[in-house]
């Protein structure tokens, strides 16, 4: 582990995102710079979701040296992995200047900032395309291709890679303290095995597998195979296809190699390929196998610029970097198909947008499904806004700062790891006592001072399938936070249909230590549109509640009571209604959703129905609300959850104590009619 950072340019892109994951898995600290010209912030959100860490990200164009310099000043940068470039061969022949400007110009700007900050370690993404058509030396002399093969790129894109290699060589010659690793990639394919990251080409894909994947998912009709009259076993050209995860690992190997040189400088090229060539037909068949059916294709004429064979001789990387590709074309096809089925449109989702909320790490994510628009923030995985038709029906702040103030009454947030009160801020599991932060008199409320509402969740992973959106947020709550035992991972998954939001909670211990869990959502609903809940009509068949004492803790009695059918100013509630008095399960998700409350208002076009799988719910008329944009009774809450202070109830402990190996689960649904 080192405190120094690796700057990854183009880290939101296809190869960059996979490399960031490998870097973090290998103990490196990473900062990403990417102008998102060919990628999406969602890739960064997903990287964080996979690695369970926040990764600093800057939306900066490399050509903006001043902004780049600020990143170098802010982080102690040890070295750079430089992916950022435009990469479409065909496009480069049409707009060559743009390619030189972006790729060469961007690199020059980067190198100037590196020099100014005394950063002299760089790993550069080059390409097998720099070798050009190696059959110019005869059919076998340079196949497989060694690094010593003469270079002769044949298109502007390849020439930018060649020019950058030369610039780096010249810099090293001028100052041999520079450590320069040139990695020449062959054909990267596949996706992350999690199904969360992959290639997301804009427009019509140029490359074989991305095109074929779009045929398989129904976005394109037929694959065109560019020529079957080459001198290969089946007449189609041969390439060295390498799984993107193997390729990503090659960068770690290169960095480790440079590290071992201590401060000795170097300029050296390595091929990153498998050493095994595959024809177009072989790859086509492997992908059809992964998909489970034959995909339509037709053989058309050769594509201009294609060559017969580009297969790497990867021996140098194997010997010097101790790196070798391990995954097969079949592995890559399987992972690509998983990525494609989970994300049929890549990161390009219609009716989804995100915006910065408060600079680094705080963002708003908005999805629109027909008449329902919902906005989330990664802080607390909170619901900032729900709009049904033209009507906004929850309280939420329009600036990020308000969420951080003491006056914020938990608007829309996920409450955890333990919602509601724990008496005297203490509990016992298996004979061990735990003392929590007491933030509500002598009790603990909503998990103390660092509850989930104060934490920035990882993600979201946003998907759109079968007419629904899903957004998944994740938090990892450290062992000892506010005195709670065990490292707890919690996932909050929202499913947004055209007129409903379903929330699913899942939590488990990452270190096998037992702990306590109680999760809910703290949205404040308002149907009147005029700043008060008074006049709201409520229908609820739940007719029992936990009797609470003056400190809002249970006395142990269950008494009969219903929510009045009209919320008049005299109706002041902050009560825990009981749905199932015998419930004692830690995971309620297999239960049927039960309707808790239906709410309407004479001035509203919307009716809300709240249901859940939970044994209880807190109903709160918001009498304590007192913040800049909202006052007393500006929203009411229905918070499905476990019994208040269940950890101290012999009969209900099982609802809230998460034992080793158990998984906590719950579901809540808001329907709008
Ligand atoms: P990609 O387009 O997915 O990633 C490149 C990233 O760089 C994108 O996120 C883009 O937004 C960013 N970027 C581009 N110009 C920028 C600029 N001026 N400032 C800041 N960010 C900028 O491509 P990829 O497939 O991940 O390729 C990564 C690198 O590997 C590229 O340099 C590419 O030339 C090289 N390469 C790719 C392949 C391949 O087949 N994918 C093969 C050989 C080499
Ligand atoms: N192919 C088809 N149909 C398609 C797309 C491709 O038959 O729709 C064939 C091509 O003719 C070629 C093979 O599939 O024989 C691979 O083609 P790709 O476009 O996927 O990859 P290339 O080998 O042409 O080029 C790739 C990158 C370049 C990089 C080069 C380095 O796109 O940026 O690998 O090896 F320089």
């Amino acid at each position: 582990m080192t405190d120094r950072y690796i700057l990854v340019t183009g880290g939101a892109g296809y190869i960059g995102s996979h490399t960031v994951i490998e870097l973090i898995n290998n103990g490196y600290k990473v900062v990403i710079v990417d102008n998102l010209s060919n990628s999406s912030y969602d890739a960064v959100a997903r990287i964080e979701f996979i690695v369970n860490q926040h990764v600093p990200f800057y939306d900066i164009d490399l050509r903006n040296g001043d902004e780049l310099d600020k990143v170098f000043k802010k982080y102690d940068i040890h070295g750079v992995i430089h992916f950022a470039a435009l990469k479409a061969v065909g496009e480069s022949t049409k707009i060559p200047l743009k390619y030189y400007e972006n790729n060469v110009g961007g690199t020059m700007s980067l190198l100037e900032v590196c020099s100014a900050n005394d950063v002299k370690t760089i790993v550069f993404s080059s390409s097998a395309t720099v070798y050009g058509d190696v059959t110019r030396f005869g059919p076998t002399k340079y196949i497989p291709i060694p690094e010593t093969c003469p270079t002769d790129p044949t298109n502007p894109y390849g020439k930018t890679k060649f020019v950058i290699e030369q610039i780096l060589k010249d810099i090293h010659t001028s100052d041999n303290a520079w450590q320069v690793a040139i990695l020449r990639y062959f054909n990267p394919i596949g996706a992350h095995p999690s199904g969360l990251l992959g290639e997301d080409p804009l427009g019509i894909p140029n490359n074989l597998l991305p095109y074929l994947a779009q045929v398989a998912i129904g976005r394109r009709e037929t694959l065109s195979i560019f020529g079957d009259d080459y001198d290969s076993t089946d007449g189609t050209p041969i390439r060295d296809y390498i799984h993107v995860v193997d390729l990503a690992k090659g960068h770690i190997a290169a960095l480790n190699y440079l590290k071992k040189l201590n401060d000795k400088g170097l300029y050296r090229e390595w091929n990153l390929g498998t050493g095994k060539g595959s024809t177009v037909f072989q790859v086509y068949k492997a992908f059809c196998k992964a998909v489970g059916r034959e995909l339509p294709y037709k053989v058309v004429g050769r594509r201009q610029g294609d060559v017969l064979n580009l297969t790497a001789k990867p021996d140098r990387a194997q010997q010097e970097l101790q790196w070798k590709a391990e995954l097969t074309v079949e592995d890559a096809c399987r992972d690509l198909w998983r990525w494609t089925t989970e994300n049929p449109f890549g990161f390009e989702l219609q009716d989804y947008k995100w915006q910065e909320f408060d600079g680094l790490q705080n963002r708003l994510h908005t999805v629109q499904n027909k008449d329902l628009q919902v906005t989330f923030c990664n802080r607390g995985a909170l619901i900032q806004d729900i709009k049904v038709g033209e009507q906004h029906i929850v309280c939420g702040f329009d600036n990020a700062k308000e969420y951080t103030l003491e006056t914020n009454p938990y608007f829309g947030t996920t409450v955890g790891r333990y919602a509601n009160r724990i008496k005297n801020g203490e509990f016992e599991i298996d004979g061990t006592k735990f003392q929590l932060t007491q933030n509500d008199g002598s009790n603990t409320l909503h998990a103390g001072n660092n509850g989930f509402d104060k934490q920035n969740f990882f993600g979201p992973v946003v998907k759109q399938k079968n007419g629904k959106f899903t957004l998944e947020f994740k938090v990892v709550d450290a062992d000892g936070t506010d005195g709670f035992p065990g490292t707890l991972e919690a996932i909050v998954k929202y499913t947004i249909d055209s007129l409903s939001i379903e929330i699913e909670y899942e939590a488990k211990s990452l270190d096998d230590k037992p702990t306590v869990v109680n999760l809910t959502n703290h949205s404040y609903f308002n149907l009147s549109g005029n700043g008060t809940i008074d006049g709201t009509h409520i229908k609820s068949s739940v007719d029992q509640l936990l009797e609470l004492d003056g400190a809002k803790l249970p006395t142990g009695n269950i008494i009969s009571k219903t929510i009045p059918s009209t919320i008049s100013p005299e109706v002041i509630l902050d009560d825990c209604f009981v749905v199932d008095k015998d419930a004692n399960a830690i995971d309620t998700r297999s239960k049927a959703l039960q309707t808790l409350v239906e709410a309407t208002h004479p001035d509203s076009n919307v009716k809300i129905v709240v249901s859940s799988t939970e044994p209880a719910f807190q109903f709160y008329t918001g009498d304590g609300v007192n913040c800049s944009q909202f006052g007393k009774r500006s929203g009411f809450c229905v918070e499905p959850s476990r019994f208040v202070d269940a950890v101290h109830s012999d009969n209900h402990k099982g609802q809230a104590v998460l034992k080793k190996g158990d998984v906590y689960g719950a579901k809540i649904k808001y329907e709008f009619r």
Side-chain angles (χ1 to χ4, degrees):
M1 269 290 197
T2 159
D3 273 345
R4 305 190 70 191
Y5 282 79
I6 298 296
L7 178 93
V8 180
T9 77
Y14 173 46
I15 306 169
S17 57
H18 288 82
T19 304
V20 170
I21 289 175
E22 294 306 322
L23 282 167
I24 291 173
N25 287 345
N26 283 278
Y28 284 95
K29 290 169 92 174
V30 176
V31 50
I32 297 174
V33 167
D34 196 306
N35 68 358
L36 303 182
S37 58
N38 193 38
S39 52
S40 163
Y41 171 73
D42 294 272
V44 180
R46 289 177 179 211
I47 290 172
E48 294 191 340
F49 196 91
I50 292 169
V51 299
N52 283 351
Q53 299 188 9
H54 288 297
V55 182
F57 164 75
Y58 291 87
D59 180 352
I60 293 175
D61 193 304
L62 286 189
R63 290 164 292 180
N64 187 340
D66 291 344
E67 286 300 307
L68 196 57
D69 190 62
K70 287 186 195 157
V71 178
F72 275 74
K73 294 281 179 309
K74 182 159 180 183
Y75 297 89
D76 181 11
I77 290 169
H78 170 70
V80 176
I81 305 185
H82 177 32
F83 293 102
L86 299 175
K87 60 161 185 177
V89 174
E91 186 186 59
S92 78
T93 62
K94 298 199 178 78
I95 45 168
L97 260 188
K98 204 171 163 203
Y99 271 67
Y100 283 104
E101 227 241 305
N102 189 76
N103 295 4
V104 181
T107 304
M108 286 173 60
S109 166
L110 170 69
L111 292 173
E112 269 168 30
V113 178
C114 282
S115 294
N117 290 280
D118 206 29
V119 175
K120 296 184 177 177
T121 295
I122 183 163
V123 176
F124 173 60
S125 294
S126 190
S127 167
T129 195
V130 297
Y131 296 117
D133 182 0
V134 297
T135 52
R136 67 189 183 276
F137 301 107
T140 52
K141 181 159 189 230
Y142 281 118
I143 291 173
I145 307 171
E147 289 81 354
T148 49
C149 175
T151 48
D152 184 20
T154 54
N155 56 67
Y157 161 70
K159 287 177 191 167
T160 67
K161 293 288 167 192
F162 174 75
V163 169
I164 295 166
E165 288 193 4
Q166 298 309 308
I167 293 174
L168 287 165
K169 193 187 256 177
D170 290 342
I171 288 185
H172 173 260
T173 307
S174 75
D175 173 0
N176 61 17
W178 275 78
Q179 298 185 322
V180 180
I182 305 287
L183 302 182
R184 292 177 178 156
Y185 315 152
F186 282 67
N187 287 47
I189 55 167
H192 197 261
S194 63
L196 293 176
L197 288 171
E199 200 169 359
D200 180 27
L202 289 178
I204 304 170
N206 296 307
N207 300 113
L208 176 61
L209 274 167
Y211 198 104
L212 197 49
Q214 293 199 359
V215 171
I217 202 73
R219 291 176 63 185
R220 314 216 169 256
E221 269 181 20
T222 309
L223 172 74
S224 296
I225 290 188
F226 300 138
D228 64 354
D229 55 352
Y230 287 88
D231 185 17
S232 68
T233 48
D234 58 26
T236 58
I238 301 161
R239 295 288 179 274
D240 186 337
Y241 295 93
I242 171 169
H243 195 299
V244 64
V245 171
D246 273 336
L247 185 66
K249 288 180 176 163
H251 295 74
I252 316 304
L255 271 185
N256 291 344
Y257 181 83
L258 295 180
K259 215 195 281 174
K260 281 203 210 112
L261 298 174
N262 294 318
D263 286 334
K264 203 162 144 270
L266 173 89
Y267 172 91
R268 193 145 173 88
E269 308 90 350
W270 288 276
N271 284 340
L272 296 187
T274 65
K276 182 176 174 290
S278 306
T279 67
V280 174
F281 273 133
Q282 285 166 345
V283 173
Y284 163 82
K285 282 183 193 137
F287 190 67
C288 289
K289 197 164 171 222
V291 174
R293 68 193 147 90
E294 294 286 297
L295 298 166
Y297 75 89
K298 59 175 188 271
V299 177
V300 299
R302 289 185 176 197
R303 181 171 70 177
Q304 206 201 342
D306 276 353
V307 299
L308 165 65
N309 192 340
L310 277 173
T311 303
K313 187 169 164 57
D315 303 27
R316 187 188 275 185
Q318 195 175 333
Q319 282 152 18
E320 297 178 359
L321 305 182
Q322 313 285 306
W323 168 90
K324 192 166 163 282
E326 300 195 324
L327 300 166
T328 61
V329 168
E330 286 69 29
D331 294 326
C333 288
R334 180 202 59 216
D335 293 336
L336 171 62
W337 185 230
R338 185 183 297 122
W339 155 251
T340 308
T341 47
E342 288 291 306
N343 309 274
F345 290 87
F347 296 116
E348 284 296 303
L349 304 187
Q350 258 189 359
D351 300 321
Y352 160 64
K353 61 180 195 302
W354 63 268
Q355 69 189 81
E356 305 246 343
F357 199 35
D358 135 61
L360 194 66
Q361 309 298 5
N362 255 320
R363 290 179 169 80
L364 291 181
H365 301 265
T366 302
V367 295
Q368 175 93 42
N369 195 340
K370 302 207 175 97
D371 269 352
L372 177 61
Q373 180 184 291
V374 193
T375 301
F376 302 89
C377 178
N378 57 315
R379 183 183 173 89
L382 64 82
I383 297 176
Q384 187 249 7
D385 187 32
I386 300 176
K387 194 170 147 207
V388 186
E390 288 309 305
Q391 198 179 335
H392 295 273
I393 58 164
V394 286
C395 303
F397 296 119
D398 52 21
N399 69 75
K401 186 155 179 278
E402 299 266 357
Y403 281 103
T404 66
L405 302 179
E406 286 270 316
T407 45
N408 169 17
Y410 301 91
F411 273 163
T413 198
T414 309
V415 197
R417 83 168 72 173
Y418 202 94
N420 218 312
R421 291 180 174 79
I422 294 179
K423 187 176 179 179
N424 295 330
E426 61 179 21
F427 62 89
E428 210 177 290
I429 306 178
D430 300 334
T432 308
K433 264 199 172 166
F434 298 97
Q435 180 61 54
L436 309 173
T437 308
Q438 291 153 304
N439 62 332
D440 179 57
S442 61
N443 306 315
T444 300
L445 176 65
H446 294 340
N449 292 334
N450 304 286
F452 285 4
D453 58 296
K454 315 277 191 313
Q455 303 193 29
N456 283 343
F457 280 53
F458 305 127
V461 173
V462 187
K463 292 183 184 169
Q464 188 178 29
K465 273 202 301 189
N466 309 325
K468 294 180 193 178
F469 281 99
T470 56
L471 283 89
E472 274 179 90
F473 293 89
K474 191 204 272 183
V475 71
V476 176
D477 199 29
D479 184 13
T481 306
D482 277 309
F484 286 98
T487 307
L488 186 76
E489 175 188 279
I491 292 178
V492 181
K493 180 174 178 179
Y494 294 101
T495 303
I496 297 93
D497 207 339
S498 56
L499 275 176
S500 69
I501 303 169
E502 187 168 305
I503 311 172
E504 180 175 348
Y505 298 110
E506 182 173 287
K508 61 173 193 254
S509 165
L510 293 187
D511 54 15
D512 279 343
K513 289 190 192 167
T515 187
V516 294
V517 187
N518 184 16
L519 305 179
T520 190
N521 180 272
H522 212 312
S523 286
Y524 286 70
F525 295 102
N526 179 315
L527 294 175
S528 71
N530 66 11
T532 175
I533 59 169
D534 292 328
T536 303
H537 295 304
I538 298 285
K539 210 169 116 187
S540 175
S541 56
V542 180
D543 57 2
Q544 325 180 75
L545 56 70
L546 294 183
E547 187 180 58
L548 300 181
D549 64 16
K552 301 209 171 301
L553 287 160
T555 62
N557 299 328
I558 291 183
I559 56 174
S560 291
K561 185 162 170 175
T562 50
I563 305 171
S565 58
T566 300
I567 303 290
S568 60
E570 299 75 49
V571 178
I572 295 171
L573 292 172
D574 188 5
D575 282 299
C576 184
F577 288 84
V578 176
V579 180
D580 178 358
K581 64 178 174 26
D582 301 319
N584 209 21
I586 194 71
D587 189 347
T588 64
R589 286 174 295 177
S590 59
K591 294 190 68 179
L593 285 164
Q594 182 167 340
T595 301
L596 309 177
V597 168
E598 294 183 20
T600 55
H601 191 281
D603 297 340
S604 172
N605 295 317
V606 181
K607 171 173 162 185
I608 303 174
V609 181
V610 181
S611 56
S612 87
T613 57
E614 290 289 88
F617 67 94
Q618 190 84 6
F619 191 92
Y620 176 44
T621 41
D623 299 271
V625 178
N626 182 14
C627 48
S628 68
Q629 297 175 42
F630 301 89
K632 201 171 146 83
R633 298 173 74 80
S634 50
F636 67 88
C637 306
V638 186
E639 304 158 65
S641 62
R642 310 294 150 103
F643 286 16
V644 180
D645 200 31
V647 289
H648 288 121
S649 157
D650 286 341
N651 295 334
H652 302 112
K653 249 192 193 131
Q655 295 179 3
V657 176
L658 184 72
K659 297 200 288 283
K660 188 177 165 182
D662 278 357
V663 176
Y664 172 98
K667 278 186 193 168
I668 299 174
K669 190 167 186 178
Y670 306 142
E671 285 168 278
F672 312 105
R673 296 177 186 160

